[in-house]
Amino acid sequence: MATSANGVTVVDHPLVQHKLTLMREKDRSTKSFRQLLNEIGMLLCYEVTRDLPTEMIEIETPLQRSMQPVISGKKLVFAPILRAGVGFLDGMLELVPAARVAHIGLYRDPQTLQAVEYYFKAPSDIADRMIVVMDPMLATANSAVAAVDRLKERGAKDLRFVCLLAAPEGIARMRDSHPDVRIWTAAIDERLNDHGYIVPGLGDAGDRMFGTR
């Protein structure tokens, strides 16, 4: 179940919404938070890959030869924004184990809220692949915009962005900077507070995932 408008898809499946509510609880343990993020990542991956192209191949079943569909083209690239983006990665790789992985290291300067890059590594042929950029929070969108900028500089053309929560301000910034990049999210929350956190949100996803809050 998903609703789409203006390049943004909200995955409103009951399982996604239930797990998201559990993650929002402030007393949720690090282990449980991490597991829930992994599970939601898998469910969001199902939606973001819904329109992948397929082709027919001939196989042999136990009864006869038959033409059946498989995904066509080069394998996907999953591109988590470090550090919290890796929380999505295992769940998505469960569904698409042959996917390639890129890593984009960015942190948010606590004073300016701007994204600062400290690591980037991606397959050399990303221009020929569909890339799913992932980060649990689309707040100011500074990190998301910087990650997509960097990938496009390397030749990427087919990009999608997946997050757990989005703020209206982050969506507007992302759509303004990269209108060709569609967004998938489990929820759009009310707003950003003065510190750039999504409200009501779930706090700092990276801190909660790694137990550093």
Side-chain angles (χ1 to χ4, degrees), residues 8-53:
V8 181
T9 298
V10 178
V11 181
D12 52 5
H13 190 287
L15 280 174
V16 172
Q17 296 306 310
H18 174 79
K19 292 176 185 295
L20 176 56
T21 295
L22 296 179
M23 292 183 71
R24 290 182 188 270
E25 295 175 339
K26 68 176 184 177
D27 295 326
R28 181 68 44 186
S29 71
T30 298
K31 178 181 178 181
S32 178
F33 186 92
R34 190 181 298 133
Q35 179 61 34
L36 288 162
L37 182 58
N38 179 76
E39 292 169 359
I40 293 181
M42 187 181 300
L43 294 167
L44 292 176
C45 182
Y46 179 81
E47 291 294 339
V48 77
T49 58
R50 179 180 290 276
D51 62 348
L52 289 180

Side-chain angles (χ1 to χ4, degrees), residues 27 41 52 58 62 68 73 106 118 161 169 173 186 199 202 213:
D27 295 326
L52 289 180
E58 187 177 26
Q68 298 295 332
L106 297 167
Y118 63 89
F161 184 82
E169 298 93 329
R173 169 88 197 285
V199 176
L202 50 71
R213 56 173 173 157

Side-chain angles (χ1 to χ4, degrees), residues 120-141:
F120 182 92
K121 189 172 181 62
S124 59
D125 59 350
I126 58 173
D128 302 322
R129 300 177 184 271
M130 189 186 92
I131 302 167
V132 179
V133 183
M134 57 188 81
D135 194 358
M137 315 299 278
L138 184 62
T140 62

Side-chain angles (χ1 to χ4, degrees), residues 159-180:
L159 292 127
R160 303 176 179 198
F161 184 82
V162 179
C163 60
L164 184 66
L165 289 181
E169 298 93 329
I171 290 173
R173 169 88 197 285
M174 188 69 170
R175 296 297 295 158
D176 182 62
S177 300
H178 296 290
D180 57 315

